[in-house]
Amino acid sequence: MASLWTTRNLTMADAPNPFQIPNITKFKIALCQLSVTSDKNQNLDRASRSIRFSVEQGAKLIVLPEMWNCPYSSDYFAKYAEDFDNRDASPTLSMLSEAACCHGITIIGGSLPEWDHGRLYNTCCIFGPDGKLKAKHRKIHLFDIDIPGEISFKESDTFTAGDQPTIVDTVGRIGIGICHDIRFPELAALYRKRGVDIICYPGAFNMSTGELLWELVQRARAVDNQLFVATCSPSRNSTGSYTTWGHSTLVGPSGEIIVTSGHEETTVIAEIDYSNIQLQRKSLPLDDQKREDIYKVIDVHELNP
C-alpha cells in the first residue's frame, strides 16, 4: 500500500486550454455530510459506509467533510493527527486508498490533521481510482475569528499554513481548497486560469459565518469563474464545542444551486455536466471582457478622484 502513496506537483505548463472539454464530461458527485464523534474508528466506519452508498448510487467523485476523522476542536487535532508517510500510523489514509481502489473512484478525502516534521497541518488528500494518493492540499488560509459573545477561535495557534494551490486531473481538472480558503477569490481565480472545471472545498463553517456567508461565497466563486463549486461539511450534530453549519452544496457555473443538504447527517448525489461550463462562457465571455489594462493600476493616486 505504501507504494501507492505517490504525488505529483502540477506546474503552469500542465495547464490545458481552459475551454477544452475534458474526456469525462458527465458524471455523478457525492457529498458525504458525516456526523463526527470522538471515536476515530467509528468515524472511519461511517465514512466507509457513506462511500459505499455513494458508489451504489453511481458516484464517480466523492467528497468528504473538513475534519471528519476527529471532532473540530483544538483538544483533538494533535491527538487524532496522522503521519502520512507512515502507513502503520495512518489508518485514515489506508481506508481512503483502499476504498478508491476497490470501487474505482476518485475521493476528495475531506481534511485530516497531519503531522509532518513536528508541525500540524489541516490537510486534504486526494485518491485516484487506482488507490494512489494523487495530491494533498494543506489549508492555505487559516481561520482566526473573534466575534464577542458569539465565537472565538484561532486556527493559527494549532496549525501551520500550507503554501501551495492544488490541482488534480482525474474526473476533469479539480482545484482544492479547505473551508476558509473559499473566502479568497484570488485562489479560485488562479484555478480558473489553470483550466479547473470544479473546485472542491471541504469545510466546516460555524453557525455565525454559515448563515451569513456559506451559500453566498460558494455561488460567488462559481459565478465569477464560471465553473462548478462543491462543498462538504460535517453534520451539525457532530461531537465538540464547535457547532458546524452543515448544508453541503453543489453550485453550477452560472451560480445556480444544483443540490444542497440540510444540517443532518446525509449523503447527497447530483450529476455534473462539464459542457455547461463552455455554454456559460460562450454566452457570457467574461475573459474577453476583462480590462487588465485598468486592473494593473498600482498607485492609488493614479485613479481618478
Side-chain angles (χ1 to χ4, degrees):
M1 184 65 65
S3 63
L4 296 180
W5 295 6
T6 58
T7 61
R8 171 176 174 267
N9 292 327
L10 268 91
T11 65
M12 287 296 289
D14 294 304
N17 182 339
F19 294 97
Q20 180 180 352
I21 298 177
N23 292 330
I24 300 175
T25 60
K26 188 180 293 187
F27 61 94
K28 288 184 179 180
I29 185 174
L31 310 176
C32 302
Q33 185 164 286
L34 303 174
S35 177
V36 182
T37 74
S38 58
D39 184 329
K40 179 187 276 192
N41 290 330
Q42 187 176 109
N43 295 332
L44 296 183
D45 182 63
R46 284 176 182 269
S48 180
R49 285 189 281 111
S50 185
I51 290 170
R52 188 163 55 251
F53 170 80
S54 301
V55 171
E56 291 170 353
Q57 304 305 308
K60 295 298 183 183
L61 177 62
I62 294 177
V63 188
L64 300 181
E66 181 181 21
M67 289 298 164
W68 61 269
N69 78 338
C70 75
Y72 196 96
S73 170
S74 300
D75 297 333
Y76 290 92
F77 294 145
K79 178 181 177 182
Y80 285 68
E82 299 182 8
D83 178 355
F84 295 174
D85 293 327
N86 183 347
R87 175 186 175 185
D88 294 333
S90 301
T92 306
L93 262 67
S94 294
M95 186 278 284
L96 294 175
S97 176
E98 292 168 7
C101 184
C102 175
H103 299 299
I105 55 174
T106 297
I107 297 178
I108 310 298
S111 81
L112 315 166
E114 174 199 10
W115 275 119
D116 186 31
H117 294 90
R119 293 186 175 185
L120 200 60
Y121 296 91
N122 186 341
T123 303
C124 175
C125 294
I126 302 92
F127 289 90
D130 55 3
K132 291 183 179 179
L133 178 62
K134 295 182 69 68
K136 66 179 182 180
H137 176 83
R138 289 171 170 169
K139 189 172 185 178
I140 298 171
H141 307 92
L142 299 181
F143 182 60
D144 293 351
I145 186 172
D146 185 12
I147 302 177
E150 292 190 36
I151 183 173
S152 181
F153 186 82
K154 196 170 183 181
E155 198 173 28
S156 62
D157 283 344
T158 304
F159 290 107
T160 299
D163 58 9
Q164 293 184 35
T166 305
I167 297 173
V168 179
D169 289 313
T170 171
V171 280
R173 174 159 277 208
I174 303 173
I176 305 295
I178 298 175
C179 201
H180 199 45
D181 286 340
I182 200 173
R183 292 295 306 274
F184 298 86
E186 297 85 355
L187 180 61
L190 172 65
Y191 286 150
R192 166 69 178 88
K193 289 179 180 178
R194 295 193 183 185
V196 160
D197 303 297
I198 181 172
I199 308 176
C200 293
Y201 294 99
F205 271 40
N206 61 64
M207 296 296 288
S208 298
T209 59
E211 184 174 13
L212 289 172
L213 302 171
W214 181 240
E215 179 182 315
L216 174 66
V217 291
Q218 293 177 65
R219 299 182 71 182
R221 299 297 86 80
V223 74
D224 283 352
N225 297 287
Q226 297 177 306
L227 44 68
F228 287 89
V229 167
T231 60
C232 190
S233 168
S235 68
R236 194 175 300 175
N237 62 336
S238 298
T239 301
S241 58
Y242 184 98
T243 306
T244 53
W245 177 244
H247 298 279
S248 302
T249 304
L250 175 67
V251 182
S254 60
E256 77 281 14
I257 293 180
I258 297 173
V259 68
T260 189
S261 70
H263 61 76
E264 70 286 346
E265 182 176 39
T266 188
T267 298
V268 292
I269 312 286
E271 185 171 82
I272 287 178
D273 187 347
Y274 282 151
S275 66
N276 290 332
I277 297 175
Q278 283 70 36
L279 290 173
Q280 181 66 16
R281 293 175 183 176
K282 183 177 181 180
S283 300
L284 185 59
L286 296 181
D287 271 3
D288 296 340
Q289 297 167 358
K290 287 181 179 178
R291 292 293 307 274
E292 298 292 349
D293 57 318
I294 295 177
Y295 309 150
K296 290 179 181 178
V297 173
I298 298 176
D299 190 343
V300 68
H301 298 295
E302 295 182 28
L303 299 174
N304 292 328

Short mmCIF file of all heavy atoms in Angstrom, two decimals, residues 148-195:
data_model
loop_
_atom_site.label_atom_id
_atom_site.label_comp_id
_atom_site.label_asym_id
_atom_site.label_seq_id
_atom_site.Cartn_x
_atom_site.Cartn_y
_atom_site.Cartn_z
N PRO A 148 -17.18 38.89 19.63
CA PRO A 148 -17.56 38.93 21.05
C PRO A 148 -18.98 38.43 21.28
O PRO A 148 -19.91 38.83 20.59
CB PRO A 148 -17.43 40.42 21.40
CG PRO A 148 -16.40 40.93 20.43
CD PRO A 148 -16.65 40.18 19.15
N GLY A 149 -19.11 37.53 22.23
CA GLY A 149 -20.42 36.99 22.58
C GLY A 149 -20.89 35.86 21.69
O GLY A 149 -21.92 35.25 21.96
N GLU A 150 -20.13 35.56 20.60
CA GLU A 150 -20.56 34.50 19.68
C GLU A 150 -19.51 33.41 19.54
O GLU A 150 -19.75 32.26 19.89
CB GLU A 150 -20.90 35.09 18.31
CG GLU A 150 -22.13 35.97 18.30
CD GLU A 150 -22.56 36.33 16.89
OE1 GLU A 150 -22.44 35.47 16.00
OE2 GLU A 150 -23.01 37.47 16.67
N ILE A 151 -18.34 33.76 19.04
CA ILE A 151 -17.32 32.73 18.81
C ILE A 151 -15.93 33.35 18.83
O ILE A 151 -15.72 34.48 18.36
CB ILE A 151 -17.55 32.02 17.45
CG1 ILE A 151 -16.53 30.90 17.26
CG2 ILE A 151 -17.53 33.00 16.30
CD1 ILE A 151 -16.79 30.03 16.04
N SER A 152 -15.01 32.61 19.41
CA SER A 152 -13.59 32.99 19.37
C SER A 152 -12.80 31.73 19.06
O SER A 152 -12.89 30.73 19.79
CB SER A 152 -13.15 33.60 20.70
OG SER A 152 -11.78 33.98 20.64
N PHE A 153 -12.07 31.75 17.95
CA PHE A 153 -11.33 30.56 17.52
C PHE A 153 -10.12 31.03 16.71
O PHE A 153 -10.24 31.90 15.85
CB PHE A 153 -12.23 29.66 16.66
CG PHE A 153 -11.60 28.35 16.28
CD1 PHE A 153 -11.60 27.28 17.16
CD2 PHE A 153 -11.02 28.19 15.03
CE1 PHE A 153 -11.04 26.06 16.80
CE2 PHE A 153 -10.45 26.99 14.66
CZ PHE A 153 -10.46 25.92 15.55
N LYS A 154 -8.97 30.43 16.98
CA LYS A 154 -7.76 30.83 16.27
C LYS A 154 -7.03 29.58 15.79
O LYS A 154 -6.28 28.96 16.51
CB LYS A 154 -6.85 31.67 17.19
CG LYS A 154 -5.77 32.44 16.44
CD LYS A 154 -5.07 33.43 17.34
CE LYS A 154 -4.04 34.26 16.54
NZ LYS A 154 -3.34 35.21 17.40
N GLU A 155 -7.29 29.24 14.54
CA GLU A 155 -6.71 28.04 13.96
C GLU A 155 -5.19 28.13 13.88
O GLU A 155 -4.48 27.12 13.96
CB GLU A 155 -7.30 27.82 12.57
CG GLU A 155 -7.13 26.41 12.04
CD GLU A 155 -7.88 26.18 10.74
OE1 GLU A 155 -8.09 27.15 9.98
OE2 GLU A 155 -8.25 25.03 10.47
N SER A 156 -4.67 29.34 13.72
CA SER A 156 -3.22 29.52 13.58
C SER A 156 -2.46 29.21 14.86
O SER A 156 -1.22 29.07 14.83
CB SER A 156 -2.90 30.95 13.12
OG SER A 156 -3.35 31.89 14.08
N ASP A 157 -3.17 29.09 15.99
CA ASP A 157 -2.50 28.67 17.23
C ASP A 157 -2.13 27.19 17.19
O ASP A 157 -1.26 26.75 17.96
CB ASP A 157 -3.42 28.91 18.44
CG ASP A 157 -3.46 30.38 18.84
OD1 ASP A 157 -2.59 31.14 18.40
OD2 ASP A 157 -4.39 30.75 19.59
N THR A 158 -2.78 26.44 16.31
CA THR A 158 -2.58 24.99 16.26
C THR A 158 -1.92 24.53 14.97
O THR A 158 -1.00 23.71 15.00
CB THR A 158 -3.93 24.27 16.40
OG1 THR A 158 -4.58 24.69 17.62
CG2 THR A 158 -3.74 22.76 16.43
N PHE A 159 -2.38 25.08 13.85
CA PHE A 159 -1.92 24.58 12.55
C PHE A 159 -0.90 25.51 11.90
O PHE A 159 -0.87 26.72 12.15
CB PHE A 159 -3.11 24.43 11.60
CG PHE A 159 -4.04 23.31 11.95
CD1 PHE A 159 -5.29 23.59 12.49
CD2 PHE A 159 -3.68 21.99 11.75
CE1 PHE A 159 -6.17 22.56 12.82
CE2 PHE A 159 -4.54 20.95 12.08
CZ PHE A 159 -5.79 21.24 12.62
N THR A 160 -0.09 24.91 11.03
CA THR A 160 0.79 25.65 10.14
C THR A 160 0.09 25.77 8.79
O THR A 160 -0.51 24.80 8.31
CB THR A 160 2.13 24.92 9.95
OG1 THR A 160 2.78 24.81 11.23
CG2 THR A 160 3.04 25.65 8.99
N ALA A 161 0.18 26.92 8.17
CA ALA A 161 -0.50 27.14 6.90
C ALA A 161 0.24 26.46 5.75
O ALA A 161 1.48 26.38 5.74
CB ALA A 161 -0.63 28.64 6.61
N GLY A 162 -0.51 25.97 4.78
CA GLY A 162 0.08 25.46 3.55
C GLY A 162 0.52 26.61 2.68
O GLY A 162 0.16 27.77 2.91
N ASP A 163 1.29 26.30 1.63
CA ASP A 163 1.82 27.37 0.80
C ASP A 163 1.71 27.08 -0.70
O ASP A 163 2.39 27.71 -1.50
CB ASP A 163 3.29 27.66 1.15
CG ASP A 163 4.19 26.44 1.01
OD1 ASP A 163 3.72 25.40 0.48
OD2 ASP A 163 5.36 26.52 1.42
N GLN A 164 0.83 26.12 -1.08
CA GLN A 164 0.69 25.79 -2.49
C GLN A 164 -0.77 25.53 -2.86
O GLN A 164 -1.48 24.87 -2.10
CB GLN A 164 1.50 24.55 -2.85
CG GLN A 164 3.00 24.71 -2.75
CD GLN A 164 3.72 23.45 -3.23
OE1 GLN A 164 3.28 22.77 -4.14
NE2 GLN A 164 4.83 23.14 -2.59
N PRO A 165 -1.21 26.03 -4.03
CA PRO A 165 -2.51 25.60 -4.55
C PRO A 165 -2.40 24.16 -5.02
O PRO A 165 -1.30 23.66 -5.23
CB PRO A 165 -2.75 26.57 -5.73
CG PRO A 165 -1.37 26.94 -6.18
CD PRO A 165 -0.51 26.96 -4.94
N THR A 166 -3.54 23.50 -5.17
CA THR A 166 -3.53 22.08 -5.53
C THR A 166 -4.52 21.82 -6.65
O THR A 166 -5.70 22.16 -6.54
CB THR A 166 -3.90 21.21 -4.31
OG1 THR A 166 -3.01 21.52 -3.23
CG2 THR A 166 -3.78 19.74 -4.64
N ILE A 167 -4.02 21.21 -7.73
CA ILE A 167 -4.84 20.85 -8.88
C ILE A 167 -4.63 19.38 -9.20
O ILE A 167 -3.49 18.91 -9.22
CB ILE A 167 -4.50 21.72 -10.11
CG1 ILE A 167 -4.82 23.20 -9.82
CG2 ILE A 167 -5.27 21.25 -11.33
CD1 ILE A 167 -4.36 24.14 -10.91
N VAL A 168 -5.71 18.68 -9.45
CA VAL A 168 -5.65 17.25 -9.73
C VAL A 168 -6.43 16.95 -11.01
O VAL A 168 -7.55 17.42 -11.18
CB VAL A 168 -6.26 16.43 -8.56
CG1 VAL A 168 -6.22 14.95 -8.88
CG2 VAL A 168 -5.53 16.72 -7.26
N ASP A 169 -5.83 16.17 -11.88
CA ASP A 169 -6.51 15.72 -13.10
C ASP A 169 -7.03 14.31 -12.90
O ASP A 169 -6.26 13.37 -12.74
CB ASP A 169 -5.54 15.76 -14.28
CG ASP A 169 -5.21 17.17 -14.73
OD1 ASP A 169 -6.14 17.98 -14.87
OD2 ASP A 169 -4.02 17.46 -14.92
N THR A 170 -8.35 14.18 -12.88
CA THR A 170 -8.97 12.86 -12.72
C THR A 170 -10.31 12.90 -13.44
O THR A 170 -10.34 12.76 -14.67
CB THR A 170 -9.08 12.45 -11.23
OG1 THR A 170 -9.86 11.28 -11.12
CG2 THR A 170 -9.57 13.52 -10.33
N VAL A 171 -11.43 13.08 -12.77
CA VAL A 171 -12.70 13.31 -13.47
C VAL A 171 -12.77 14.80 -13.80
O VAL A 171 -13.40 15.59 -13.11
CB VAL A 171 -13.91 12.86 -12.62
CG1 VAL A 171 -14.11 11.39 -12.70
CG2 VAL A 171 -13.76 13.29 -11.16
N GLY A 172 -12.08 15.18 -14.86
CA GLY A 172 -11.89 16.59 -15.16
C GLY A 172 -10.72 17.13 -14.37
O GLY A 172 -9.94 16.39 -13.76
N ARG A 173 -10.56 18.44 -14.40
CA ARG A 173 -9.49 19.10 -13.66
C ARG A 173 -10.09 19.73 -12.41
O ARG A 173 -11.00 20.56 -12.48
CB ARG A 173 -8.80 20.14 -14.54
CG ARG A 173 -7.77 20.98 -13.81
CD ARG A 173 -6.77 21.61 -14.75
NE ARG A 173 -5.71 20.65 -15.06
CZ ARG A 173 -4.45 21.01 -15.38
NH1 ARG A 173 -4.12 22.28 -15.43
NH2 ARG A 173 -3.56 20.09 -15.66
N ILE A 174 -9.57 19.32 -11.24
CA ILE A 174 -10.16 19.68 -9.95
C ILE A 174 -9.19 20.56 -9.16
O ILE A 174 -8.02 20.21 -8.99
CB ILE A 174 -10.50 18.42 -9.13
CG1 ILE A 174 -11.44 17.50 -9.92
CG2 ILE A 174 -11.13 18.79 -7.79
CD1 ILE A 174 -11.69 16.16 -9.25
N GLY A 175 -9.70 21.68 -8.66
CA GLY A 175 -8.95 22.53 -7.73
C GLY A 175 -9.43 22.24 -6.32
O GLY A 175 -10.60 21.93 -6.10
N ILE A 176 -8.51 22.36 -5.36
CA ILE A 176 -8.84 22.03 -3.97
C ILE A 176 -8.64 23.24 -3.06
O ILE A 176 -7.63 23.96 -3.16
CB ILE A 176 -7.98 20.86 -3.45
CG1 ILE A 176 -8.09 19.64 -4.36
CG2 ILE A 176 -8.37 20.51 -2.01
CD1 ILE A 176 -9.45 19.02 -4.42
N GLY A 177 -9.60 23.45 -2.17
CA GLY A 177 -9.47 24.42 -1.09
C GLY A 177 -10.08 23.81 0.15
O GLY A 177 -10.85 22.85 0.07
N ILE A 178 -9.75 24.36 1.31
CA ILE A 178 -10.33 23.87 2.56
C ILE A 178 -10.97 25.05 3.30
O ILE A 178 -10.28 26.01 3.66
CB ILE A 178 -9.28 23.20 3.46
CG1 ILE A 178 -8.67 21.98 2.77
CG2 ILE A 178 -9.90 22.79 4.80
CD1 ILE A 178 -7.53 21.33 3.55
N CYS A 179 -12.26 24.97 3.49
CA CYS A 179 -13.03 25.90 4.32
C CYS A 179 -12.69 27.37 4.07
O CYS A 179 -13.12 27.95 3.08
CB CYS A 179 -12.87 25.53 5.79
SG CYS A 179 -14.19 26.17 6.86
N HIS A 180 -11.87 27.98 4.93
CA HIS A 180 -11.59 29.41 4.85
C HIS A 180 -10.91 29.80 3.54
O HIS A 180 -10.95 30.97 3.14
CB HIS A 180 -10.73 29.82 6.04
CG HIS A 180 -10.72 31.29 6.34
ND1 HIS A 180 -11.87 32.06 6.36
CD2 HIS A 180 -9.69 32.15 6.63
CE1 HIS A 180 -11.55 33.31 6.65
NE2 HIS A 180 -10.26 33.39 6.81
N ASP A 181 -10.32 28.84 2.84
CA ASP A 181 -9.74 29.11 1.52
C ASP A 181 -10.79 29.67 0.56
O ASP A 181 -10.46 30.43 -0.37
CB ASP A 181 -9.16 27.83 0.90
CG ASP A 181 -7.85 27.39 1.54
OD1 ASP A 181 -7.18 28.23 2.18
OD2 ASP A 181 -7.49 26.20 1.39
N ILE A 182 -12.06 29.32 0.78
CA ILE A 182 -13.13 29.77 -0.13
C ILE A 182 -13.38 31.27 -0.03
O ILE A 182 -13.93 31.88 -0.95
CB ILE A 182 -14.44 28.98 0.15
CG1 ILE A 182 -15.38 29.06 -1.05
CG2 ILE A 182 -15.13 29.50 1.41
CD1 ILE A 182 -16.62 28.18 -0.92
N ARG A 183 -12.96 31.88 1.08
CA ARG A 183 -13.19 33.32 1.27
C ARG A 183 -12.28 34.17 0.38
O ARG A 183 -12.49 35.39 0.28
CB ARG A 183 -12.96 33.70 2.73
CG ARG A 183 -13.96 33.14 3.72
CD ARG A 183 -15.35 33.71 3.49
NE ARG A 183 -15.37 35.16 3.49
CZ ARG A 183 -15.49 35.91 4.59
NH1 ARG A 183 -15.58 35.33 5.77
NH2 ARG A 183 -15.52 37.22 4.49
N PHE A 184 -11.31 33.57 -0.26
CA PHE A 184 -10.32 34.32 -1.01
C PHE A 184 -10.48 34.08 -2.51
O PHE A 184 -10.08 33.05 -3.04
CB PHE A 184 -8.91 33.95 -0.53
CG PHE A 184 -8.72 34.29 0.92
CD1 PHE A 184 -9.09 33.39 1.92
CD2 PHE A 184 -8.24 35.54 1.29
CE1 PHE A 184 -8.96 33.72 3.26
CE2 PHE A 184 -8.10 35.88 2.64
CZ PHE A 184 -8.46 34.97 3.62
N PRO A 185 -11.09 35.05 -3.22
CA PRO A 185 -11.38 34.88 -4.65
C PRO A 185 -10.12 34.74 -5.50
O PRO A 185 -10.18 34.19 -6.60
CB PRO A 185 -12.15 36.16 -5.01
CG PRO A 185 -11.78 37.15 -3.95
CD PRO A 185 -11.56 36.36 -2.71
N GLU A 186 -8.98 35.21 -4.98
CA GLU A 186 -7.74 35.10 -5.75
C GLU A 186 -7.37 33.64 -6.02
O GLU A 186 -6.86 33.31 -7.10
CB GLU A 186 -6.60 35.81 -5.01
CG GLU A 186 -6.78 37.31 -4.83
CD GLU A 186 -7.61 37.68 -3.61
OE1 GLU A 186 -8.14 36.77 -2.93
OE2 GLU A 186 -7.74 38.90 -3.33
N LEU A 187 -7.60 32.77 -5.04
CA LEU A 187 -7.27 31.35 -5.22
C LEU A 187 -8.17 30.74 -6.28
O LEU A 187 -7.71 30.00 -7.16
CB LEU A 187 -7.41 30.60 -3.89
CG LEU A 187 -7.11 29.10 -3.94
CD1 LEU A 187 -5.67 28.86 -4.37
CD2 LEU A 187 -7.38 28.45 -2.58
N ALA A 188 -9.47 31.02 -6.21
CA ALA A 188 -10.40 30.49 -7.20
C ALA A 188 -10.07 31.02 -8.60
O ALA A 188 -10.15 30.29 -9.59
CB ALA A 188 -11.84 30.85 -6.83
N ALA A 189 -9.68 32.29 -8.69
CA ALA A 189 -9.32 32.87 -9.99
C ALA A 189 -8.08 32.21 -10.55
O ALA A 189 -7.96 32.00 -11.77
CB ALA A 189 -9.11 34.37 -9.85
N LEU A 190 -7.14 31.87 -9.69
CA LEU A 190 -5.94 31.15 -10.13
C LEU A 190 -6.31 29.79 -10.70
O LEU A 190 -5.81 29.38 -11.77
CB LEU A 190 -4.98 30.97 -8.95
CG LEU A 190 -3.76 30.08 -9.20
CD1 LEU A 190 -2.84 30.70 -10.24
CD2 LEU A 190 -3.00 29.84 -7.90
N TYR A 191 -7.21 29.09 -10.02
CA TYR A 191 -7.66 27.79 -10.52
C TYR A 191 -8.35 27.95 -11.88
O TYR A 191 -8.17 27.14 -12.79
CB TYR A 191 -8.60 27.14 -9.52
CG TYR A 191 -7.92 26.59 -8.29
CD1 TYR A 191 -8.58 26.53 -7.06
CD2 TYR A 191 -6.61 26.10 -8.34
CE1 TYR A 191 -7.96 26.00 -5.93
CE2 TYR A 191 -5.99 25.58 -7.22
CZ TYR A 191 -6.67 25.53 -6.02
OH TYR A 191 -6.05 25.01 -4.90
N ARG A 192 -9.15 28.98 -12.01
CA ARG A 192 -9.83 29.24 -13.29
C ARG A 192 -8.81 29.43 -14.41
O ARG A 192 -8.98 28.88 -15.52
CB ARG A 192 -10.71 30.49 -13.13
CG ARG A 192 -11.22 31.10 -14.43
CD ARG A 192 -12.24 30.20 -15.11
NE ARG A 192 -12.75 30.82 -16.33
CZ ARG A 192 -12.19 30.70 -17.53
NH1 ARG A 192 -11.11 29.97 -17.68
NH2 ARG A 192 -12.73 31.29 -18.58
N LYS A 193 -7.77 30.17 -14.14
CA LYS A 193 -6.75 30.42 -15.16
C LYS A 193 -6.00 29.15 -15.54
O LYS A 193 -5.48 29.04 -16.65
CB LYS A 193 -5.76 31.48 -14.67
CG LYS A 193 -6.34 32.89 -14.59
CD LYS A 193 -5.32 33.88 -14.06
CE LYS A 193 -5.92 35.28 -13.98
NZ LYS A 193 -4.94 36.26 -13.42
N ARG A 194 -5.95 28.21 -14.62
CA ARG A 194 -5.25 26.95 -14.89
C ARG A 194 -6.18 25.86 -15.43
O ARG A 194 -5.82 24.71 -15.49
CB ARG A 194 -4.56 26.46 -13.62
CG ARG A 194 -3.44 27.38 -13.16
CD ARG A 194 -2.57 26.73 -12.12
NE ARG A 194 -1.54 27.63 -11.61
CZ ARG A 194 -0.59 27.26 -10.75
NH1 ARG A 194 -0.54 26.02 -10.32
NH2 ARG A 194 0.31 28.13 -10.33
N GLY A 195 -7.37 26.27 -15.83
CA GLY A 195 -8.25 25.35 -16.52
C GLY A 195 -9.06 24.41 -15.66
O GLY A 195 -9.54 23.37 -16.13
#
